[in-house]
Amino acid sequence: MAYETEQTESPGHPEPSPPQGPHPAMQLISPEERDKLTLRLHQSLTGFVDGPRHAVEEAAEVLDETVKRITAALTERSHSLRADWQGASEGRSAESDTEELRVALRAYREVTERLLRL
């Protein structure tokens, strides 16, 4: 999703700043897990001279683990989004149901656009 702002020259009205990174609920890998995987990848890169095959094997394992974690997080997010909107209609007015569907559609758009930017 592109972040665009209109240029205004009115004093006292600062321009909104662009988003500062993914919303915490949108993080696919926790910062701690990301740091561990990054460290393992860095160690494989620095170990290449002493053990090229082992370095490449370790880099492959880091990629596999990263893909596994991202896939699990996306599957969980997809199930959560689906449960939110499919269970929204029971006992609710059409207006509140429509609002929950709008929120669900926005969440689907945000996740999909983020993936398409990879």
Side-chain angles (χ1 to χ4, degrees):
M1 173 171 65
Y3 184 81
E4 297 178 20
T5 60
E6 291 184 26
Q7 296 292 327
T8 60
E9 294 184 15
S10 68
H13 297 285
E15 289 185 38
S17 58
Q20 297 298 316
H23 184 276
M26 295 289 295
Q27 290 183 344
L28 297 175
I29 298 177
S30 72
E32 296 82 19
E33 290 175 317
R34 186 177 53 241
D35 290 346
K36 288 178 185 177
L37 292 166
T38 300
L39 178 61
R40 285 179 56 198
L41 180 61
H42 179 72
Q43 289 171 339
S44 73
L45 295 172
T46 58
F48 182 79
V49 172
D50 294 331
R53 178 168 298 278
H54 178 70
V56 172
E57 288 170 350
E58 178 64 15
E61 288 176 18
V62 172
L63 175 60
D64 290 344
E65 183 66 26
T66 302
V67 168
K68 187 184 317 179
R69 289 176 189 232
I70 289 173
T71 300
L74 287 170
T75 299
E76 181 180 323
R77 181 72 173 137
S78 177
H79 290 154
S80 173
L81 285 171
R82 185 172 305 277
D84 287 349
W85 68 265
Q86 285 184 335
S89 61
E90 279 190 34
R92 300 223 166 99
S93 70
E95 189 175 299
S96 66
D97 188 43
T98 300
E99 175 60 17
E100 289 187 15
L101 291 172
R102 184 190 68 76
V103 169
L105 183 59
R106 186 179 72 202
Y108 277 114
R109 183 194 72 207
E110 289 171 357
V111 171
T112 302
E113 286 178 342
R114 184 172 173 206
L115 289 172
L116 291 172
R117 284 191 302 265
L118 292 178

